[in-house]
């Protein structure tokens, strides 16, 4: 049974940082492409960043240079380091595993506000 559990969200001021974690069980994050996807109130979900099984990374343009996706194979966990946060980064952030089917976590709320 696959489970993805996100953590690390919270309230942060503009310009601040947060690190999100996605702890996986039932599959290996070192094999599959893992994504972070976010959904702001009233908006559709939008892809944020991905790390492939080979370790290559990709980012949406609006977060390039501010966000970094990484993984810890030993702990089977994927991270999203978010720096220089902006109010428009406010959203629920979801972890997704692209395996034989997509698996999703429950999400963690990130609020950027002064």
């Amino acid at each position: 049974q696959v489970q993805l559990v996100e953590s690390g969200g919270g309230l942060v001021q503009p310009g601040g940082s947060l690190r999100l974690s996605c702890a996986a069980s039932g599959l290996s994050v070192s094999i599959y492409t893992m994504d972070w996807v976010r959904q702001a109130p009233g908006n559709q979900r939008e892809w944020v960043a991905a790390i492939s099984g080979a370790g290559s990374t990709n980012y949406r343009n609006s977060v390039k240079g501010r966000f970094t996706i990484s993984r810890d194979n030993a702990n089977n966990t994927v991270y999203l380091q978010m720096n220089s946060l902006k109010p428009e980064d406010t959203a629920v952030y979801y972890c997704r595993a692209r395996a034989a089917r997509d698996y999703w976590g429950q999400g963690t709320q990130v609020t950027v506000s002064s």
Side-chain angles (χ1 to χ4, degrees), residues 56-96:
S56 61
T57 58
N58 282 289
Y59 302 90
R60 73 179 298 109
N61 286 339
S62 62
V63 307
K64 280 181 182 177
R66 300 189 297 122
F67 290 11
T68 303
I69 189 171
S70 62
R71 68 184 182 214
D72 180 342
N73 293 341
N75 288 310
N76 212 30
T77 299
V78 177
Y79 302 98
L80 186 68
Q81 177 67 44
M82 305 187 295
N83 300 328
S84 302
L85 282 161
K86 304 175 181 181
E88 52 264 41
D89 295 317
T90 295
V92 177
Y93 283 71
Y94 298 91
C95 178
R96 177 177 65 183

Side-chain angles (χ1 to χ4, degrees), residues 2-4 24-34 51-53 71-78 97-99:
V2 175
Q3 263 196 315
L4 302 175
S25 59
L27 59 73
S28 173
V29 301
S30 65
I31 295 176
Y32 300 106
T33 295
M34 302 293 296
I51 183 166
S52 73
R71 68 184 182 214
D72 180 342
N73 293 341
N75 288 310
N76 212 30
T77 299
V78 177
R98 292 195 239 161

Side-chain angles (χ1 to χ4, degrees), residues 17-59:
S17 298
L18 284 174
R19 189 177 81 154
L20 306 184
S21 300
C22 171
S25 59
L27 59 73
S28 173
V29 301
S30 65
I31 295 176
Y32 300 106
T33 295
M34 302 293 296
D35 300 302
W36 286 96
V37 177
R38 68 187 180 187
Q39 186 169 21
N43 291 0
Q44 293 186 344
R45 288 188 180 185
E46 63 179 23
W47 171 81
V48 175
I51 183 166
S52 73
S56 61
T57 58
N58 282 289
Y59 302 90

Side-chain angles (χ1 to χ4, degrees), residues 11-15 86-87 90 111-114:
L11 172 64
V12 64
Q13 292 187 343
K86 304 175 181 181
T90 295
T111 303
V112 185
S113 174
S114 54

